[in-house]
Amino acid sequence: MESEALVTLDRAEFRSVLGHFASGVVVITAIVDGRPVGFTCQSFFSLSLDPPLVALAPGRSSTSWPKIARAERLCVNVLAAGQEALARAFAVSGADKFSGVGWSAPSTPGGGPRLHGALAWIDRVVEQVHDGGDHFLVIAAVLGLVAGQGSPLVFYRGGFGSFAA
Ligand SMILES: Cc1cc2nc3c(=O)[nH]c(=O)nc-3n(C[C@H](O)[C@H](O)[C@H](O)COP(=O)(O)O)c2cc1C
């Protein structure tokens, strides 16, 4: 994907300005070869209501995504306020990310681990993977979803916070 504009933009400025777009934080999980795998992700959104589709953008440098892509079925864990430590733990490449983390087995066959204390869980299956520069754009069909109680963990300008209405 060639884009003239990107070449001339200062990367630090690009990250800094885009960091002004506040978002929730999710952890993408799956069971691969019988073991839980996961990574923290901010680039997640609801794409389509009918059919029910969501999208995310895993980086090409992620070591977890290629494994999760093989599993095809995964869970999006929407993190709750107070789960900053979990968000940081699932962002460390190569770490034993599930060590000491409470999770439940997938509710849908082949789905991903549901992290305890998360605000919502969305089970899905990967439908399409597109080129997205140094990331992929993944479109997935929603198989099941449920929300818990609480307020979201928010990510804004490189820092974590919570939401106050
Ligand atoms: C708040 C936050 C948001 C992140 N969002 C993304 C994202 O949208 N896409 C992505 O690929 N990595 C994202 N990361 C980085 C990944 O979590 C990190 O690169 C990954 O966990 C590395 O581990 P892996 O090699 O096991 O994949 C984010 C990290 C943090 C802390």
Side-chain angles (χ1 to χ4, degrees):
M1 180 173 72
E2 286 301 317
S3 169
E4 287 307 311
L6 270 181
V7 176
T8 57
L9 272 180
D10 173 62
R11 284 171 180 267
E13 190 197 5
F14 180 86
R15 287 179 79 104
S16 159
V17 173
L18 269 286
H20 287 71
F21 177 73
S23 75
V25 183
V26 302
V27 171
I28 309 294
T29 58
I31 299 283
V32 181
D33 305 330
R35 298 176 59 79
V37 177
F39 73 98
T40 301
C41 185
Q42 175 194 24
S43 55
F44 168 77
F45 59 95
S46 157
L47 179 64
S48 157
L49 209 49
D50 183 16
L53 301 173
V54 291
L56 74 143
R60 287 181 184 277
S61 60
S62 168
T63 61
S64 296
W65 171 249
K67 299 176 193 157
I68 294 174
R70 260 193 303 119
E72 289 187 357
R73 289 191 175 217
L74 41 91
C75 182
V76 176
N77 298 266
V78 179
L79 296 188
Q83 292 192 305
E84 175 178 340
L86 209 62
R88 291 184 186 284
F90 276 83
V92 181
S93 192
D96 180 8
K97 300 180 181 184
F98 282 82
S99 155
V101 172
W103 60 276
S104 304
S107 64
T108 50
R114 290 188 168 193
L115 301 180
H116 295 174
L119 193 55
W121 300 269
I122 302 148
D123 297 318
R124 339 154 313 151
V125 61
V126 174
E127 295 262 320
Q128 303 162 37
V129 179
H130 301 279
D131 172 32
D134 57 15
H135 281 59
F136 297 104
L137 178 59
V138 176
I139 296 175
V142 175
L143 305 173
L145 68 180
V146 63
Q149 293 298 317
S151 62
L153 182 67
V154 175
F155 194 66
Y156 174 67
R157 296 185 69 184
F160 293 97
S162 55
F163 172 78

